[in-house]
Amino acid sequence: MLTERAAALDAADPLAHIRDRFLLPDGVVYLDGNSLGALPAAVPAVVEDAVHRQWGTDLIRSWNGNGWWEAPLRTGDTLGRLIGAAPGQTVVGDSTSVQLFNTLLAAARMRPGARLLLTDPDHFPTDQYIADSVGRLLGLDVRRVPAREAAAVLAAEAGNVAVAAYAPVDYRTGELYDMAALTAAAHAAGALMHWDLCHAAGSLPVELDAIEADFAVGCGYKYLSGGPGAPAFAYVARRHQAGFDHPLTGWHGHTEPFAMSGTYAPGDGISRARISTPPLLSMLALEAALTAFDGVEMTAVRAKNLSLTGFFQDCADTLLDGLGFTMATPRDPERRGSQVALRHAEAYPLVAALTARGVIGDMRAPDLLRFGFNALYVTHADVLHAVQELHAVVTGGAHLAPAFQQRPTVT
Amino acid sequence: MLTERAAALDAADPLAHIRDRFLLPDGVVYLDGNSLGALPAAVPAVVEDAVHRQWGTDLIRSWNGNGWWEAPLRTGDTLGRLIGAAPGQTVVGDSTSVQLFNTLLAAARMRPGARLLLTDPDHFPTDQYIADSVGRLLGLDVRRVPAREAAAVLAAEAGNVAVAAYAPVDYRTGELYDMAALTAAAHAAGALMHWDLCHAAGSLPVELDAIEADFAVGCGYKYLSGGPGAPAFAYVARRHQAGFDHPLTGWHGHTEPFAMSGTYAPGDGISRARISTPPLLSMLALEAALTAFDGVEMTAVRAKNLSLTGFFQDCADTLLDGLGFTMATPRDPERRGSQVALRHAEAYPLVAALTARGVIGDMRAPDLLRFGFNALYVTHADVLHAVQELHAVVTGGAHLAPAFQQRPTVT
């Protein structure tokens, strides 16, 4: 019955043909694209050209001749379409941590009277650490308020909050929050809204311009499939660009970078959010990867992701009942991102045993099994297979083998 | 006569065979390795493997299985050998600007009583901008003092200077400063010494440990030939690691990164200087590039670079006399890095015309022609050819063509 349902859903999938834009290994069901996206088919040739022709042959001339100088803003605009950002507001480069620091500190400087910085106690660790770092440098108190309580705290602290820094999707449970509502609540309280889109960009129809978000950052290697450690992006709403006063004043953000002036004078528009020389092999891989989204509407991606995650939940209800799992991800589609997390006391060995059988998810301590679904290359048949394999592991006890009990450095 | 001398010098060159470790384009004399190093022959296969097998096939499993997690410290130790840093003090990742900000701010925090930050008015622009940014965040005054006057100012301001931030090589003129003497002067004044090694790493026998430098940063894409925008590196002397209190507190620097704690607790040793996920394609390219230095002593690199730069100066004396050039680079080998800069009123069109003839250098506004010499792949015959071509251009007037008069975005 589940087999027929998977087949029917896949047969009716309007994005089914997009899977051919990825090079997926044989014998693997890949449900960890929320950590590292799969390899887009367009990437290898672009990277080879970047190495051999652009670097090896054209050498320094590539800055002009092969458009290296324009890459951060060019790729930013391409990526901007996927997050609802009109051109000229998105720059690509550096890591998410660095972009987060740079934009969060600049945002806080725009509210000099306010003394509070709000962030989520369930936010990804770096986001919390960087908020603390910015708070310490600027003398702001950092208060950790869960996303669902943030609107009330903003109302109570109206005028006191400089920035509210949140993520639309909880990186562990996949719970989805209402970006428009929280942005409006921040603005009503006189605060600026800062979004971390790591788990949203490429998986949801984020609408930064429409909801009047102020700042956003995100990474290039999850649902955007830009490759390991792909550069991050930063969004600075056009209305804030002239006042964008950031700490990472590298020469690429200067208004006349090649004048080699000893005094920083920020460039116009989003160009001032450039920092310095980006890692071009990784940058050009990301740019090539984004072509996998050509002609794909984010509403279609969202519809399929909801279908995949909903189907996973249904399969789990049927196949994993009574086996020690609980569902950590909301069942309400309105409150669900593009991943499903299950809690189980044996989370690590279960994920390890599953990986050995070719079904790749990941885990987050202490007890979460995470499965991410990228609509561009995951099928409903993959979903069913993954849950069937998990059922087989947990009922057969494969995870009890010593090889799966020892947690390595990175999981 | 110059031809014979070039041939004799090349015939006696103990590093001549290292040139085979690079893929140099036909018909090009490349004297811009101080801006973007040439492509090492070891790189393409490593990048192809990183894309196809590590990313495409092994996917997320590469963090453990292919050593991605260890790459920043592993590559740091390899690079450390070239800058006189014993293992466990160098980390690779992010850009020079970012590493500069992170280490300079951390250094300044170690001298809470001091109110001054010294840097060079001739320092690369980013270094000056970042010093200003750090000064503003911590309430320090930034004073620009030329390298040759820094020791005297340090002595006069003993106790008041938190950090002295300098480069051993002037990025425009190639002038070399005495790292040991300035480091000692900083320490005598109670200050910490911060070095930017962008134009030194891979071209000089830098001895960070021996001179007791405190902090250093540098880029991977100049003399280290790590590729366009290759990750930078940061050196934190072992004695400062326990007190290294940096602003870019990404999760990779946490003592237990996978515990996903909401509070930052820095890791042991150099691991705390990790920031976050590095751009792995660019990182692995850099790691492969560093194998070009296998078995090569930096003293031999230095000897050859001095021979190349000295021969360039001799050729220029003979061939460019009376043609409007002046020598901007010291003739004293003790005061010369691995580049030669000539001043000429027509610097931009001359460099453009030279490039069109296959001799690639670069220029820095307003009037500097820069030629960088990487001992691993430049020959004395290249040097002579470059000066002969420059003579031909300037005497023949090729640079007066309209095509060479319009300066593009990036030069």
Side-chain angles (χ1 to χ4, degrees):
Chain A
M1 193 124 119
L2 289 167
T3 304
E4 288 72 30
R5 207 175 132 205
L9 288 166
D10 285 335
D13 172 15
L15 297 180
H17 64 290
I18 305 294
R19 184 175 164 97
D20 294 338
R21 296 183 183 178
F22 290 83
L23 298 171
L24 298 160
D26 292 334
V28 166
V29 166
Y30 194 58
L31 303 182
D32 209 12
N34 54 328
S35 190
L36 172 67
L39 172 62
V43 166
V46 167
V47 172
E48 192 185 338
D49 180 71
V51 170
H52 280 282
R53 185 182 61 84
Q54 299 184 38
W55 174 11
T57 301
D58 293 351
L59 290 157
I60 195 70
R61 297 169 290 194
S62 285
W63 280 103
N64 285 309
N66 291 309
W68 287 357
W69 182 259
E70 291 77 17
L73 301 191
R74 184 179 70 230
T75 310
D77 282 348
T78 303
L79 200 157
R81 179 181 78 82
L82 307 179
I83 54 172
Q89 301 177 104
T90 310
V91 64
V92 169
D94 297 286
S95 70
T96 310
S97 301
V98 167
Q99 296 288 10
L100 186 62
F101 178 85
N102 203 42
T103 53
L104 197 54
L105 200 147
R109 276 179 171 159
M110 300 180 96
R111 291 291 182 270
R115 307 313 307 157
L116 274 176
L117 206 160
L118 295 195
T119 194
D120 196 324
D122 294 319
H123 215 327
F124 187 78
T126 292
D127 296 77
Q128 297 188 59
Y129 309 157
I130 294 290
D132 286 337
S133 179
V134 168
R136 176 180 169 193
L137 283 165
L138 298 187
L140 297 170
D141 291 328
V142 177
R143 191 181 296 178
R144 286 163 166 79
V145 177
R148 68 184 68 80
E149 300 164 24
V153 173
L154 281 159
E157 294 283 358
N160 294 328
V161 181
V163 191
Y166 285 81
V169 181
D170 184 300
Y171 77 101
R172 291 171 305 187
T173 65
E175 181 168 359
L176 175 67
Y177 302 104
D178 185 336
M179 293 182 70
L182 188 49
T183 303
H187 290 173
L192 292 163
M193 189 69 221
H194 188 292
W195 287 108
D196 179 336
L197 302 177
C198 281
H199 287 266
S203 79
L204 300 167
V206 174
E207 294 292 349
L208 292 177
D209 287 349
I211 65 171
E212 297 183 357
D214 300 296
F215 300 93
V217 300
C219 86
Y221 51 80
K222 296 181 187 289
Y223 293 98
L224 300 174
S225 304
F233 62 88
Y235 164 91
V236 179
R238 199 179 310 279
R239 66 189 176 282
H240 294 312
Q241 291 171 358
F244 187 69
D245 181 14
H246 62 140
L248 291 170
T249 47
W251 70 295
H252 283 216
H254 197 279
T255 185
E256 287 191 85
F258 293 90
M260 300 281 153
S261 160
T263 310
Y264 191 71
D268 289 334
I270 190 67
S271 76
R272 72 170 59 185
R274 296 176 70 131
I275 300 172
S276 62
T277 309
L280 277 151
L281 301 185
S282 291
M283 167 86 77
L284 296 172
L286 169 61
E287 185 175 28
L290 294 176
T291 64
F293 286 91
D294 283 356
V296 175
E297 291 303 321
M298 289 309 299
T299 47
V301 169
R302 173 69 172 152
K304 180 168 173 188
N305 280 335
L306 282 178
S307 179
L308 291 166
T309 50
F311 185 57
F312 188 99
Q313 292 181 314
D314 291 347
C315 291
D317 287 345
T318 304
L319 296 172
L320 303 179
D321 190 42
L323 296 174
F325 294 93
T326 55
M327 182 63 62
T329 303
R331 291 174 188 273
D332 177 359
E334 300 273 303
R335 293 182 51 224
R336 195 168 75 224
S338 194
Q339 70 179 59
V340 175
L342 303 173
R343 292 192 192 281
H344 192 286
E346 297 285 311
Y348 174 71
L350 286 172
V351 166
L354 210 49
T355 297
R357 296 167 76 107
V359 175
I360 303 180
D362 66 16
M363 66 85 60
R364 284 294 175 253
D367 63 352
L368 279 182
L369 294 89
R370 289 199 314 178
F371 301 95
F373 302 87
N374 188 320
L376 303 192
Y377 55 78
V378 175
T379 66
H380 296 82
D382 288 341
V383 167
L384 175 58
H385 179 74
V387 182
Q388 285 171 331
E389 288 294 303
L390 184 53
H391 172 268
V393 167
V394 77
T395 55
H399 61 297
L400 303 176
F404 301 135
Q405 297 288 325
Q406 178 69 42
R407 198 171 163 197
T409 318
V410 190
T411 59
Chain B
M1 194 119 125
L2 289 170
T3 304
E4 288 73 27
R5 207 175 132 207
L9 288 166
D10 286 335
D13 172 14
L15 296 181
H17 64 290
I18 306 293
R19 183 174 163 97
D20 293 338
R21 297 184 183 177
F22 291 83
L23 299 171
L24 297 160
D26 292 335
V28 165
V29 167
Y30 193 59
L31 304 181
D32 209 10
N34 54 330
S35 190
L36 172 67
L39 172 62
V43 166
V46 166
V47 172
E48 192 185 338
D49 180 70
V51 170
H52 280 282
R53 186 182 62 83
Q54 298 185 37
W55 173 11
T57 301
D58 293 352
L59 291 156
I60 194 72
R61 296 168 292 194
S62 285
W63 281 102
N64 284 309
N66 291 310
W68 286 358
W69 182 261
E70 292 77 17
L73 301 191
R74 184 179 69 228
T75 311
D77 281 347
T78 302
L79 201 156
R81 179 181 79 83
L82 306 179
I83 54 173
Q89 300 178 102
T90 310
V91 63
V92 169
D94 297 286
S95 70
T96 310
S97 301
V98 167
Q99 295 288 10
L100 186 60
F101 179 84
N102 202 43
T103 52
L104 197 53
L105 200 147
R109 276 180 172 159
M110 298 179 97
R111 290 290 182 270
R115 306 314 308 158
L116 273 176
L117 205 161
L118 295 196
T119 194
D120 196 323
D122 293 319
H123 214 329
F124 187 78
T126 292
D127 296 77
Q128 297 189 59
Y129 309 157
I130 294 290
D132 286 336
S133 179
V134 167
R136 176 179 168 195
L137 283 165
L138 298 187
L140 298 169
D141 290 331
V142 177
R143 192 180 296 178
R144 287 164 167 77
V145 177
R148 68 185 68 80
E149 300 165 25
V153 172
L154 280 159
E157 293 284 359
N160 293 328
V161 181
V163 191
Y166 284 81
V169 181
D170 185 300
Y171 77 101
R172 290 170 306 189
T173 65
E175 181 168 358
L176 175 66
Y177 303 104
D178 185 336
M179 292 183 71
L182 188 50
T183 302
H187 291 173
L192 292 163
M193 189 69 220
H194 188 291
W195 288 108
D196 179 337
L197 303 177
C198 281
H199 287 266
S203 78
L204 301 167
V206 174
E207 294 292 349
L208 292 177
D209 288 348
I211 65 170
E212 297 183 357
D214 300 297
F215 300 93
V217 300
C219 86
Y221 51 80
K222 296 182 189 287
Y223 294 98
L224 299 176
S225 303
F233 62 88
Y235 164 91
V236 179
R238 200 179 308 280
R239 66 189 175 282
H240 295 312
Q241 291 172 357
F244 187 68
D245 181 13
H246 63 139
L248 291 169
T249 47
W251 70 294
H252 283 217
H254 197 280
T255 185
E256 286 191 87
F258 291 90
M260 301 280 153
S261 160
T263 310
Y264 191 71
D268 289 334
I270 191 66
S271 75
R272 74 170 59 187
R274 297 176 69 133
I275 300 172
S276 63
T277 309
L280 277 151
L281 302 185
S282 290
M283 167 86 76
L284 296 173
L286 169 60
E287 184 176 26
L290 294 176
T291 64
F293 286 92
D294 284 355
V296 175
E297 292 302 320
M298 290 308 301
T299 47
V301 169
R302 173 68 173 153
K304 180 169 173 188
N305 280 336
L306 282 178
S307 179
L308 291 166
T309 50
F311 185 56
F312 188 100
Q313 291 182 316
D314 291 349
C315 293
D317 287 346
T318 305
L319 296 171
L320 302 180
D321 189 42
L323 296 174
F325 294 93
T326 56
M327 183 62 63
T329 302
R331 291 172 188 275
D332 177 0
E334 300 273 305
R335 293 181 51 227
R336 195 167 75 224
S338 193
Q339 71 178 57
V340 175
L342 303 171
R343 292 191 192 282
H344 192 286
E346 297 284 313
Y348 174 71
L350 286 172
V351 167
L354 209 50
T355 297
R357 297 166 76 107
V359 176
I360 302 179
D362 66 15
M363 65 87 59
R364 285 294 175 251
D367 63 351
L368 279 182
L369 296 87
R370 287 200 315 178
F371 301 97
F373 302 88
N374 187 321
L376 303 193
Y377 55 80
V378 175
T379 66
H380 296 83
D382 288 341
V383 168
L384 176 56
H385 179 74
V387 182
Q388 286 171 331
E389 287 295 302
L390 182 54
H391 172 267
V393 166
V394 78
T395 55
H399 61 298
L400 303 175
F404 302 133
Q405 298 287 324
Q406 177 68 41
R407 196 170 164 200
T409 316
V410 191
T411 59

